[in-house]
């Protein structure tokens, strides 16, 4: 044991050595790694050149940092990986009523729609989400009707909770709503991390809507489309000479679907009702395509089948109302029951845009209703990283991964906890947002000059 | 078919004659009316309509109960450690740390648990926008005229909305159900006791005042502007409100003149009763509270100007995401602010939200309220309050949990006019009480038991006290 201690101390000293400007050590923290190391009650995390370089049990290490190393004393707080928010609209929407860049109604561009070209790193929503510990997001096209909400619900205020991938009630002409991309939320001119990580397809009511009114028509239309893609793949030359029969999709859409029919790009299946979930599982099995269930309010009713199929689910753990006839079985225990059945669960925030910051509270509620704490943490870190193919870079606090690290005053699922430091790709992020600037401008209303003169 | 038609016709005739004879023989002048004044035909006397829809609420059966060794948030700002709450005859009997509970009471060991007043949601659309949210259920916004002051939310409430049960499991014992905000003046709100019931009358809070829903900003001008009719601008909105109040003041004057003449025994022809103007006149006379949906700071001040012009009071601004910009003015005007911590960005007037809105109102000495306007948030008002509290502390305000508890108890009770009866754990008030398994400002806390008027209305661990609406029965795989 002594030998180990010495070597770790040497490692620490070495890492804290020459290139010190970017070196950060976070000490005195309860470290929730979301990785194989699990929870370290009294740990430290080292960051250098954008990467995590060490995650250590502080009780086994003598601290010996070279001058110039920035030491952040977490004072007994909690350190977590940055959270990864699925079904997000970040970078593709500002004011909701002014529209977004995630809905397409173009007969030639459905599957080919690619959100990677729309991303706005200067979005006002990004710092707000970041202040809730979210450091990555899966920006996801919005599919046709039938998310959690009926179009009428927030008619009171014209305010609909908008969830990417969950459907915002918009009618689309396309069977395929387009391709999602992974972004980071750091301050940068480029936030795209990985494009083309999933293809959104609505099922259930939403699928029926885009296929002419009935579920059965949608599955047939999808089978036809996939057959066309396979024909196209075999006969590209003939297609270009116009020597093949008419295909239902545009060339751009056919090309975009090749990775899907080859099983390389998962379908993000927006689906709610247990019977529709079973139909999706059957469809995926028959077509030999990868699938992620999104919504899945009645997932708990088909949990064993979902687990047996090895299919992950993205859920809002707060869904518990019979909001539509597709979600009569909605339950706060959905997350816990799916996890218990062995399903890989990914948790989402409240909507994918303005209230995405509630992701950490949603995780807390999942825990309150039966999901183990570490499982809930995984469901917003390593699970989405794996599901969207970025787990080699992010999702846990492990040496070699990108340094997406958040320091909290205490348990991040608790509203009374706040972040005290946020790193994305090793870069310290400012702990502010337009909202916080507005707040501070109006804290003192007694000045001789109007608030407009304050910065 | 012919038989049925005939029968209906006979009934109608009988009812009419019954009406007439009743009016002629049994009506008595109400207090304050002159005995000389001849009663008006039934249904034509302005301001007498409420009785036909009166509350039939009856408390559930209760027993004398003692909640012992609890951490108590009283709702008045205080926190009591290892305290006792005594409930008797449906009322709070005593609250404190030094109370010895009588042995005859049902003892509830609340050691390590928390007790709060029943939560009050000052802004809900349960029942008028129920689950499932299908078009057939869309009964919250009468979008046929920018002024529908004559509609009453209670005439839309579906008591079988499963949302009531979910809200109760979240500790909500009283709620204000409002019409929507598509109109300048949307209609009357109704205050409900959150009990399972066959009729809305069985839920109506006895003696609670009516409220009037008004709405600023984008919604009315969007709804009517898109139909190429007024209002299509904010100045059109304001002209619409002012015109309505002029008509209401004129209506009230005509009825006052008529009553004065009738009292003097002079011959007088009564004005024709008008449901819209009757409700607005109720605001001008102070009987009906104004619940005003309004986001932007500058528009709230315009609405205050209108209230001053016509001599009514705005009880609360709802949503009010920019209230923090005019916290001083709102405190001075004694107008409550019913808002969220997290909702923003849906439209331009919701763009300048700050999480600390409620704490900033509180810090300025105002009346801060956290409300839901949402069938999901209503289940977790305590969490929304915790989020606001946390944002307030992050902004540097020293606010205790006891004070923040007022945002979801006593302050909303005040804003809907029932603070003499509920909203805090004080002797004599209705025993609306929530027993929490943990600190309600924790994300992990759940309401274990909810008392309404001292009766167990919900118990998380006892299926006998987990009511299901008719809609939930036999559907949803026993969720």
């Amino acid at each position: 044991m002594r030998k180990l201690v010495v070597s770790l101390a040497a490692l620490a000293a070495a890492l804290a050595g020459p290139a010190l400007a970017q070196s950060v050590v976070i000490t005195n923290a309860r470290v929730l790694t979301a990785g194989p190391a699990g929870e370290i009650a009294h740990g430290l995390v080292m960051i250098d050149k954008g990467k995590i370089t060490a995650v250590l049990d502080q009780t086994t290490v003598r601290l010996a940092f070279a001058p110039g190393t920035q030491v952040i004393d977490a004072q007994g707080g909690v350190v977590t990986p940055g959270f990864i928010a699925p079904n997000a609209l970040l970078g593709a929407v500002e004011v909701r009523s002014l529209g977004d860049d995630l809905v397409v109604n173009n007969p030639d561009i459905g599957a080919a729609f690619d959100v990677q070209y729309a991303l706005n790193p200067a979005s006002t929503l990004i710092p707000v989400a970041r202040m809730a510990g979210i450091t990555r997001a899966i920006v996801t096209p919005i599919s046709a009707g039938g998310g959690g909400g009926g179009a009428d619900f927030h008619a009171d205020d014209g305010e609909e909770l908008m969830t990417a991938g969950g459907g915002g009630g918009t009618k689309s002409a396309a069977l395929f709503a387009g391709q999602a991309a992974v972004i980071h939320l750091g301050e940068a001119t480029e936030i795209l991390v990985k494009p083309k990580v999933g293809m959104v397809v609505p099922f259930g009511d939403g699928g029926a809507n885009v296929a002419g009114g009935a579920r059965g028509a949608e599955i047939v239309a999808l089978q036809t489309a996939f057959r066309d893609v396979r024909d196209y793949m075999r006969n590209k030359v003939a297609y270009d000479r116009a020597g093949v029969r008419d295909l239902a999709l545009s060339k751009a859409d056919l090309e975009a679907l090749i990775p899907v029919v080859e099983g390389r790009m998962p379908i993000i299946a927006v689906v709610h009702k247990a019977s529709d979930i079973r139909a999706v599982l059957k469809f995926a099995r028959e077509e030999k395509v990868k699938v992620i269930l999104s919504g899945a309010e009645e997932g708990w009713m088909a949990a064993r089948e979902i687990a047996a199929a090895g299919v992950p689910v993205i859920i809002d753990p707060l869904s518990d109302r019979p909001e539509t006839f597709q979600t009569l079985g909605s339950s706060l225990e959905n997350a816990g029951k799916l996890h218990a059945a062995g399903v890989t669960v990914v948790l989402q925030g409240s909507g994918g845009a303005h209230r995405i910051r509630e992701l950490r509270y949603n995780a807390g509620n999942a825990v309150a209703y039966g999901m183990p704490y570490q499982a809930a943490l995984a469901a917003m870190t390593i699970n989405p990283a794996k599901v969207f193919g970025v787990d080699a870079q992010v999702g846990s606090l492990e040496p070699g991964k990108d340094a997406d690290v958040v320091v909290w005053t205490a348990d991040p699922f608790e509203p009374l906890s706040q972040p005290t430091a946020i790193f994305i790709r090793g870069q310290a992020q400012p702990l502010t947002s337009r909202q916080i600037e507005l707040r501070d401008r109006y804290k003192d209303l007694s000045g001789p000059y109007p608030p407009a003169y304050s910065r | 078919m012919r038989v049925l038609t005939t029968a209906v016709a006979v009934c109608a005739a009988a009812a009419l004659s019954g009406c007439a004879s009743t009016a002629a023989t049994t009506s008595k002048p109400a207090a304050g009316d002159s005995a000389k004044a001849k009663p008006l035909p039934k249904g034509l006397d302005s301001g007498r309509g409420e009785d036909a829809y009166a509350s039939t609420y009856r408390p559930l059966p209760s027993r004398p109960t003692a909640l012992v060794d609890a951490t108590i948030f009283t709702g008045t700002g205080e926190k009591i450690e290892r305290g006792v709450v005594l409930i008797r005859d449906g009322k709070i009997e005593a609250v404190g740390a030094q109370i010895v509970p009588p042995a005859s009471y049902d003892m509830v060991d609340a050691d390590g648990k928390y007790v709060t007043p029943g939560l009050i949601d000052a802004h809900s659309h349960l029942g008028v926008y129920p689950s499932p949210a299908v078009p057939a259920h869309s009964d919250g916004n009468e979008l046929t005229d920018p002024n529908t002051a004559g509609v009453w939310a209670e005439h839309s409430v579906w008591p079988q909305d499963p949302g009531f049960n979910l809200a109760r499991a979240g500790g909500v014992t009283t709620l204000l159900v409002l019409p929507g905000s598509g109109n300048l003046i949307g209609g009357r709100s109704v205050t409900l006791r959150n009990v399972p019931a066959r009729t809305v009358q069985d839920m109506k809070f006895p003696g609670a005042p009516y409220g009037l829903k008004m709405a600023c900003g984008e919604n009315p001008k969007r709804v009517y502007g898109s139909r190429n009719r007024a209002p299509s601008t904010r100045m059109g909105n304001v002209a619409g409100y002012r015109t309505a109040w002029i008509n209401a003041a004129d209506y009230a004057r005509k009825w006052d003149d008529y009553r004065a003449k009738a009292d003097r025994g002079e011959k007088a022809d009564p004005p024709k009763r008008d449901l819209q103007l009757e409700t607005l006149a109720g605001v001008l006379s102070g009987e009906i509270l104004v619940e005003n949906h309004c986001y932007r700071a500058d528009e709230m001040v315009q609405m205050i100007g209108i209230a001053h012009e016509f001599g009514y009071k705005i009880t609360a601004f709802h949503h009010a995401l920019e209230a923090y910009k005019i916290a001083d003015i709102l405190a001075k005007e004694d107008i409550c602010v019913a808002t969220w911590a997290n909702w923003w960005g849906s439209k331009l007037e919701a763009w300048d939200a700050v999480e600390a809105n409620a704490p900033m109102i509180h810090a300025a000495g105002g009346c801060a309220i956290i409300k839901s306007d949402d069938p999901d948030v209503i289940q977790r008002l305590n969490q929304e309050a915790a989020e606001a509290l946390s944002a307030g502390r992050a902004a540097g305000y020293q606010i205790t949990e006891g004070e923040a508890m007022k945002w979801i108890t006593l302050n909303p009770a005040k804003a809907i006019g029932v603070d003499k009866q509920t909203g805090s754990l004080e002797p004599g008030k209705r025993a609306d009480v929530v027993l929490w398994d943990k600190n309600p400002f924790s994300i992990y806390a759940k309401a274990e038991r909810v008392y309404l008027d001292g009766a167990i209305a919900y118990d998380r661990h006892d299926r006998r006290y987990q009511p299901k609406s008719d809609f939930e029965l036999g559907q949803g795989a026993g969720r």
Side-chain angles (χ1 to χ4, degrees), chain A residues 6 9 69 90 97 122 124 223 234 302 310 320 375 427 440 448 450:
Chain A
V6 172
T69 303
L90 299 175
S97 62
T124 304
Q223 289 166 339
R234 283 191 293 270
D320 69 343
Q427 298 294 315
D440 290 345

Side-chain angles (χ1 to χ4, degrees), chain A residues 16 30 40 67 75 138 146 190 206 222 237 239 248 254 337 363 425 440:
Chain A
R30 185 159 68 92
I40 301 170
Q75 300 181 328
I138 321 302
E190 175 62 85
L222 288 172
V237 176
Y239 179 94
L254 292 166
K337 286 179 175 173
R425 302 190 305 169
D440 290 345

Side-chain angles (χ1 to χ4, degrees), chain B residues 6 36 104 140 158 218 257 267 292 337 360 437 463 470:
Chain B
T6 308
K36 287 179 286 187
S104 62
W158 183 47
E218 290 186 33
D257 286 353
K267 183 172 165 41
N292 199 334
V337 171
M360 290 171 82
D437 62 349
R463 288 184 71 86
D470 292 351

Side-chain angles (χ1 to χ4, degrees), chain A residues 440-451:
Chain A
D440 290 345
R441 164 174 275 194
Y442 283 93
K443 275 172 82 173
D444 180 6
L445 298 169
S446 66
Y449 269 56

Side-chain angles (χ1 to χ4, degrees), chain A residues 171-234:
Chain A
K171 299 289 179 286
S172 161
L175 286 170
F176 303 95
Q179 302 167 60
V182 179
I183 63 166
H184 73 80
L185 273 61
E187 290 198 307
T189 52
E190 175 62 85
I191 56 176
L192 178 67
V193 171
K194 186 182 181 191
K196 299 178 180 297
V197 296
M199 176 73 69
V200 176
V201 181
F203 286 87
D205 287 352
N209 284 345
V210 297
R215 287 166 164 74
E218 191 214 1
I219 301 288
V220 173
L222 288 172
Q223 289 166 339
T224 305
F226 283 13
R227 195 165 56 237
D228 283 3
V229 173
R230 292 185 178 107
D231 280 357
Y232 167 76
M233 289 163 64
R234 283 191 293 270

Side-chain angles (χ1 to χ4, degrees), chain B residues 198-215:
Chain B
R198 292 182 298 167
T199 68
V200 71
Q201 288 88 340
D202 281 351
M203 302 174 77
K204 281 180 74 173
F205 197 125
Y210 277 101
L212 176 68
K213 175 70 176 286
M214 296 181 66

Side-chain angles (χ1 to χ4, degrees), chain B residues 59-102:
Chain B
L60 299 165
S62 68
R63 295 173 41 79
T65 303
L67 305 171
V68 183
D69 276 346
T71 302
I72 302 168
F73 291 117
T74 59
T76 55
E78 289 87 59
K79 178 183 182 182
I80 300 170
E81 302 284 358
R82 303 204 75 77
V84 173
V85 175
L86 295 186
I87 297 170
R88 192 176 162 193
D89 298 331
K91 299 279 194 278
I92 303 290
E93 184 179 23
V95 179
Q98 311 297 330
I99 293 166
V100 179

